[in-house]
Amino acid sequence: MYLTRDEEDILAGEEGESCQKAMELVVALGKIYGAEDLIGITSAHLSGASYKTIGDGGLKYLEDMVKGGAAVSVPSTLNPVGMDRGRWKEMHIPSAFAEKQLKIIELYKKMGVAATCSCTPYLDDNVPSLGDHVAWAESSALSFVNSYIGARTNREGGPGALAAAIIGKTANYGLHLDHNRIPTVVIDADIDGSVFSYSMLGQAVGTAIGSGIPYFRGISPAVDDAKTMSAAMAASGSVALYHVEGVTPEAGNFDISGLERISIGKKELRDAYDKLNTAEDVQLIALGCPHLSRKEMKDIAAFLKGKKKKNKNVEIWFCTSSKIREECAEEVRIMEEFGPVLADTCMVVAPIEGTFQRTGTNSAKAGNYLPTLCSQKVICRDISKLMDVVL
Ligand code: F3S
């Protein structure tokens, strides 16, 4: 693998131990995946932020990085953490957990990472452009920026994305290269066009193809549709890039004749739905996977306005970014009559298993992870049907 003189110097430790460690990791990944060289990145998005997922080992790793003087060299944002920084008591979070979680956030801040704690930084704080090379972790977000925006990132893990953020470069392989962005299968989709139908479509396609690069025909996703579909495909499969005919910026670049074709319609969506629904009732309804956009906040508030929460036994959480929560004061006022509007966190990376066993969601991604990461049985429905339980 070719390294420039400057890169060799960093590897030799001339820029300090943290940069050396970061370079070692990026080079090691590059060698594993056959990269010929490194490529500069314009931003990073880091996962590995919840104390629930990284534990004491991860906390120690971050402490060591900070002690070694680690600092990011490109704009970098942080994924959701295990609790709302200011409202963790409402989430039934033990104070021992809260203490460690706040420490983790501080450590990232010390490294210069913007502690946005959202999985939708592409809506606000970290918006790549077409053709930008970036190093993003968080499977839903990286799939969105790869596909809908046409930026270029591999499916980075937390430590790999942090290492790339520190040296400002990543190994040049995989989805950074033109020839690896070519679609591998055509999906002829027949859905009703609701956000929930995009979630089920993503679930069905991820299940059907696993990995690969689908090329969709017959759909026209808006931002929120692509947001939920990206998340679903990355969770039920490991899809990190897709194209949509007439919608995504690279879709027109390819000749799709000769590719395998798969039709996804009512039957496949029903199978996806049946697989995700494993509970009869719920104790918690958690919306905002990925984090709610401004439009979703408006839609939910409009739906709830004038209604009353009749079933007090079910908690409702709305998860969004702190910026959107701040901006949507009127919507938040309406929604808070039903449950807290939480920022910085989500139902999957928060330790909900200490309090709940059955959770309702409108997200296929959450539907995949709630059973495995949070020991939950799940009801997965569109928002109006979920809310039937409490209204
Ligand atoms: Fe975001 Fe949590 Fe879902 S990080 S994509 S809300 S699992």
Side-chain angles (χ1 to χ4, degrees):
M1 184 171 166
Y2 170 77
L3 295 181
T4 64
R5 187 66 189 268
D6 288 350
E7 291 161 357
E8 290 283 9
D9 288 348
I10 295 172
L11 195 57
E14 290 188 15
E15 301 281 322
E17 199 188 324
S18 292
C19 284
Q20 183 182 29
K21 269 195 198 162
M23 183 60 89
E24 280 171 359
L25 180 51
V26 170
V27 168
L29 288 169
K31 283 188 178 158
I32 290 168
Y33 291 106
E36 289 184 0
D37 56 6
L38 303 185
I39 190 162
I41 55 168
T42 55
S43 79
H45 179 68
L46 313 179
S47 63
S50 168
Y51 177 62
K52 169 175 158 173
T53 54
I54 68 170
D56 289 324
L59 176 54
K60 170 87 174 43
Y61 176 79
L62 295 172
E63 280 171 343
D64 289 347
M65 292 296 279
V66 169
K67 265 188 210 142
V72 297
S73 63
V74 294
S76 303
T77 43
L78 192 62
N79 223 28
V81 296
M83 60 186 211
D84 184 308
R85 263 171 280 199
R87 300 179 68 173
W88 50 271
K89 286 190 181 147
E90 291 170 65
M91 299 174 66
H92 321 284
I93 301 284
S95 52
F97 181 101
E99 207 177 291
K100 296 204 171 170
Q101 184 61 75
L102 292 172
K103 234 186 229 171
I104 290 169
I105 296 171
E106 281 314 305
L107 289 166
Y108 275 111
K109 278 189 185 169
K110 280 189 181 148
M111 288 190 272
V113 177
T116 44
C117 304
S118 173
C119 52
T120 56
Y122 48 81
L123 296 178
D124 276 305
D125 306 285
N126 191 349
V127 189
S129 300
L130 176 64
D132 279 357
H133 294 272
V134 298
W136 281 40
E138 173 45 46
S139 60
S140 68
L142 70 89
S143 174
F144 184 95
V145 301
N146 255 334
S147 311
Y148 209 73
I149 294 179
R152 297 182 170 215
T153 178
N154 284 315
R155 205 172 145 116
E156 300 280 357
L162 177 58
I166 290 169
I167 61 167
K169 292 180 179 180
T170 191
N172 193 12
Y173 68 94
L175 296 177
H176 291 285
L177 303 170
D178 285 345
H179 66 267
N180 291 323
R181 298 178 69 83
I182 298 170
T184 56
V185 56
V186 174
I187 306 290
D188 287 311
D190 179 14
I191 61 172
D192 67 22
S194 63
V195 176
F196 187 68
S197 70
Y198 276 100
S199 200
M200 290 303 106
L201 174 61
Q203 174 72 16
V205 171
T207 304
I209 69 169
S211 57
I213 303 176
Y215 181 100
F216 286 93
R217 300 193 305 188
I219 57 172
S220 186
V223 169
D224 290 332
D225 306 322
K227 173 164 86 70
T228 195
M229 187 169 83
S230 302
M233 265 190 291
S236 61
S238 55
V239 174
L241 167 66
Y242 57 88
H243 304 287
V244 183
E245 193 167 77
V247 176
T248 58
E250 293 168 80
N253 301 349
F254 309 109
D255 173 10
I256 55 162
S257 58
L259 288 182
E260 181 196 358
R261 286 167 194 234
I262 296 177
S263 295
I264 302 282
K266 280 198 182 76
K267 182 192 171 303
E268 291 74 20
L269 298 197
R270 183 74 215 184
D271 290 347
Y273 177 90
D274 287 345
K275 193 170 160 233
L276 290 169
N277 279 276
T278 54
E280 299 292 320
D281 65 350
V282 292
Q283 299 157 305
L284 170 69
I285 292 174
L287 303 179
C289 172
H291 274 174
L292 296 169
S293 66
R294 288 171 185 79
K295 179 176 182 306
E296 288 173 311
M297 295 282 284
K298 282 190 196 325
D299 290 348
I300 293 171
F303 174 76
L304 293 176
K305 196 170 182 184
K307 296 190 169 75
K308 284 260 169 305
K309 185 179 174 194
K310 292 193 187 126
N311 186 345
K312 306 276 183 219
N313 295 326
V314 176
E315 286 191 30
I316 304 178
W317 293 0
F318 305 97
C319 302
T320 187
S321 68
S322 49
K323 189 164 190 178
I324 289 179
R325 181 171 66 180
E326 250 172 63
E327 277 178 28
C328 296
E330 180 51 21
E331 287 78 15
V332 168
R333 193 189 58 71
I334 295 166
M335 292 157 79
E336 291 267 348
E337 287 174 27
F338 295 80
V341 178
L342 302 168
D344 314 321
T345 190
C346 82
M347 66 301 283
V348 170
V349 297
I352 65 166
E353 55 279 12
T355 310
F356 307 103
Q357 291 79 46
R358 300 179 300 284
T359 295
T361 174
N362 66 330
S363 156
K365 173 170 177 178
N368 281 282
Y369 287 140
L370 283 166
T372 51
L373 298 178
C374 309
S375 310
Q376 301 294 295
K377 290 203 161 165
V378 169
I379 285 183
C380 187
R381 297 190 184 142
D382 74 16
I383 292 179
S384 63
K385 292 207 181 85
L386 271 179
M387 289 295 184
D388 273 352
V389 179
V390 289
L391 296 176

